[in-house]
Amino acid sequence: MGVLEGLTAEIEKLCGTDPAALRDRDTIVELNRLMARLDAVNTRATAAFDTSREWEIDGARTAAAWIRTRCGIPDSTARRRVRLGRALRHLPAAEQAWLAGDICDSHVLALEGR
């Protein structure tokens, strides 16, 4: 089983969990840390996708435009993710902190200076 298949299976289990079983303080903190970590992974993958220029195959003008169209997310979200991915190349400590779930995208944006 590949890494995404394993993640999908675990998310399916989590989605089937009674929310009341997840309502304690420690679980809320851990869920938010995990969301930040997954967002960091997604952003790093998006940066690699941007660099690969694979999006050009489908005639997209930018990686963000391709992501917006294929993933159905707002243009501002797609552009932000590409921009954050590019910023991480120059912020290795922030990248590691985000991957650990210690910070989130807003912190990286602040460090980037935007």
Side-chain angles (χ1 to χ4, degrees):
M1 179 179 292
V3 67
L4 287 181
E5 291 84 4
L7 178 60
T8 299
E10 292 304 314
I11 289 174
E12 288 296 328
K13 289 180 200 173
L14 192 57
C15 288
T17 301
D18 180 354
L22 304 171
R23 70 176 183 211
D24 64 277
R25 293 174 297 182
D26 291 338
T27 299
I28 296 302
V29 168
E30 187 60 20
L31 285 171
N32 278 277
R33 289 180 64 83
L34 291 170
M35 287 290 295
R37 295 182 75 191
L38 188 55
D39 196 26
V41 170
N42 187 3
T43 300
R44 287 185 356 151
T46 297
F49 178 70
D50 177 43
T51 300
S52 76
R53 303 186 72 91
E54 188 176 333
W55 41 270
E56 289 179 332
I57 295 169
D58 294 323
R61 291 179 164 248
T62 65
W66 188 95
I67 292 166
R68 179 194 70 232
T69 302
R70 295 296 178 123
C71 300
I73 62 175
D75 187 52
S76 60
T77 302
R79 283 186 282 118
R80 178 179 173 160
R81 188 163 292 138
V82 170
R83 187 174 77 238
L84 281 170
R86 289 175 181 168
L88 286 180
R89 295 177 188 140
H90 309 288
L91 300 168
E95 179 179 20
Q96 291 308 307
W98 195 7
L99 286 168
D102 295 334
I103 64 173
C104 68
D105 61 339
S106 297
H107 296 108
V108 177
L109 281 173
L111 291 169
E112 179 202 22
R114 289 192 184 195

